């Protein structure tokens, strides 16, 4: 099995697992009509993103990682003396820290937020929310991921391991799953859990401006953006964006065009 097949296996088995756990122990029962609308747009976005990346990004992460690992211009090969285990740890941490900074920038830069707002505009929360990204955001984040991998030049197997961990945790974090506090409390010491990430999708800005991490919760803890709520508070948490909290979910075209409309920009409260 090659790297692409391993990533695909991780992707589809996590989707199957997330769909099963949220059907078995849902945090909140979705309205059936809204579910159909949301799933149609979210799954269509995932297919469009895949096609756009295939068309416009001619190189994969493993090809970039292989090139960078042999390059004397990449950071870790340039250091030379770093032992493998240290290079592996540094690579995994640096890739996750890069994703944290990337996510923070998507919220802080007005033009980037226009596109990331599509992910947050989902009016409910389940594993398909983890598939809902505007193609411009998908292109931007893939390009930045490739740039970080090229700059680091870390071990190939660690780059692959991080990619699988990132996809798995990101899909699971969006699951509509009632994880008991006793389990969540232990897991969130290290990993981003569904309970933690759900808060990041709150309608209310102050509640949402937290928990930007993808795999590890440490960057949010260090950066002062970590928040947690007990699981009993989560079903009542309003999900989505304040400029369209009610009504039927938008169709695919409306979602694709949303970043180009003035109303899509939600100003930060202090800037309002
Ligand atoms: Zn976000």
């Amino acid at each position: 099995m090659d790297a692409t097949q391993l990533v695909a296996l991780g992707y589809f088995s996590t989707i199957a697992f997330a769909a099963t756990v949220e059907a078995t122990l849902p945090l909140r029962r979705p309205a059936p009509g809204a579910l159909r609308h949301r799933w149609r747009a979210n799954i269509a976005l995932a297919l469009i993103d895949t096609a756009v990346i295939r068309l416009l990004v001619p190189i994969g992460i493993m090809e970039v990682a292989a090139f960078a690992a042999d390059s004397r211009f990449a950071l870790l090969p340039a250091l030379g003396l770093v032992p493998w285990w240290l290079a592996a740890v540094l690579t995994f941490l640096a890739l996750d820290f890069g994703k944290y900074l990337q996510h923070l920038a998507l919220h802080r830069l007005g033009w980037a937020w226009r596109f990331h707002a599509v992910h947050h505009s989902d009016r409910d929360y389940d594993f398909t929310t983890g598939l809902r990204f505007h193609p411009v955001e998908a292109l931007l984040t893939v390009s930045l991921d490739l740039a970080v991998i090229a700059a680091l030049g870390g071990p190939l197997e660690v780059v692959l391991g991080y990619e699988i961990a990132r996809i798995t945790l990101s899909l699971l974090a969006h699951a509509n799953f009632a994880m008991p506090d006793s389990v969540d409390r232990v897991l969130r010491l290290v990993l981003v859990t569904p309970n933690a990430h759900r808060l990041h999708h709150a309608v209310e800005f102050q509640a949402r401006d937290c928990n930007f991490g993808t795999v590890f919760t440490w960057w949010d803890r260090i950066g002062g953006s970590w928040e947690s709520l007990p699981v009993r508070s989560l079903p009542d948490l309003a999900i989505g964006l304040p400029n369209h909290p009610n009504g039927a979910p938008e169709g695919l075209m409306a979602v694709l065009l949303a970043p180009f409309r003035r109303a899509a920009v939600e100003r930060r409260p202090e800037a309002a």
Side-chain angles (χ1 to χ4, degrees), residues 103 107 116 120 200:
H103 192 182
H107 279 254
H116 187 57
H120 282 266
H200 179 71

Side-chain angles (χ1 to χ4, degrees), residues 103 106-107 113 116 119-120 197 200-201 208 210-212:
H103 192 182
L106 287 168
H107 279 254
W113 168 248
H116 187 57
H119 177 59
H120 282 266
H197 193 70
H200 179 71
H201 281 259
R208 175 178 9 116
C210 66
N211 301 359
F212 297 94

Side-chain angles (χ1 to χ4, degrees), residues 91-105:
T91 299
F92 205 93
L93 290 175
L95 290 174
D96 198 49
F97 184 56
K99 286 306 277 188
Y100 168 76
L101 292 179
Q102 195 184 94
H103 192 182
L104 206 56

Side-chain angles (χ1 to χ4, degrees), residues 33-227:
L35 195 72
R36 194 179 65 241
H37 269 98
R38 287 182 44 246
W39 278 30
R40 202 183 292 160
N42 294 353
I43 292 168
L45 277 175
L47 296 173
I48 291 169
D49 291 353
T50 307
V52 166
I53 288 166
R54 279 276 165 115
L55 274 173
L56 298 180
V57 185
I59 193 161
I61 60 160
M62 295 316 291
E63 290 164 89
V64 172
F67 179 78
D70 287 336
S71 164
R72 61 196 169 87
F73 297 109
L75 183 66
L76 291 169
L79 291 175
L81 297 174
V82 172
W84 188 90
W85 67 266
L86 187 55
V89 171
L90 288 176
T91 299
F92 205 93
L93 290 175
L95 290 174
D96 198 49
F97 184 56
K99 286 306 277 188
Y100 168 76
L101 292 179
Q102 195 184 94
H103 192 182
L104 206 56
L106 287 168
H107 279 254
R108 297 287 185 261
L109 303 173
W111 65 269
W113 168 248
R114 280 176 174 265
F115 296 99
H116 187 57
V118 164
H119 177 59
H120 282 266
S121 69
D122 203 354
R123 294 171 201 196
D124 209 343
Y125 192 85
D126 60 30
F127 75 95
T128 69
T129 309
L131 308 175
R132 181 189 171 98
F133 294 97
H134 194 280
V136 172
E137 179 184 342
L139 265 180
L140 180 71
T141 53
V142 165
S143 307
L144 289 171
D145 291 347
L146 292 177
V148 172
I149 290 166
L152 270 175
L156 266 71
E157 49 276 65
V158 180
V159 173
L160 177 61
Y162 180 76
E163 182 66 4
I164 293 171
R166 177 188 72 76
I167 291 170
T168 305
L169 267 287
S170 176
L171 287 167
L172 289 178
H174 293 95
N176 175 33
F177 170 50
M179 182 177 278
D181 282 326
S182 53
V183 181
D184 185 66
R185 211 174 293 127
V186 177
L187 285 180
R188 75 187 184 214
L189 289 173
V190 178
L191 299 173
V192 175
T193 61
N195 292 14
H197 193 70
R198 196 178 184 97
L199 204 49
H200 179 71
H201 281 259
V203 166
E204 210 250 307
F205 180 86
Q206 298 300 349
R208 175 178 9 116
D209 198 37
C210 66
N211 301 359
F212 297 94
T214 299
V215 172
F216 297 126
T217 55
W218 305 327
W219 318 120
D220 279 299
R221 293 176 191 279
I222 294 167
S225 54
W226 171 254
E227 295 290 343

Side-chain angles (χ1 to χ4, degrees), residues 110 113-114 117 243-244 254 257-267:
W113 168 248
R114 280 176 174 265
N243 39 352
H244 42 67
L257 294 174
F260 307 101
R261 293 205 204 103
R262 184 174 284 270
V265 184
E266 180 213 1
R267 302 173 81 186

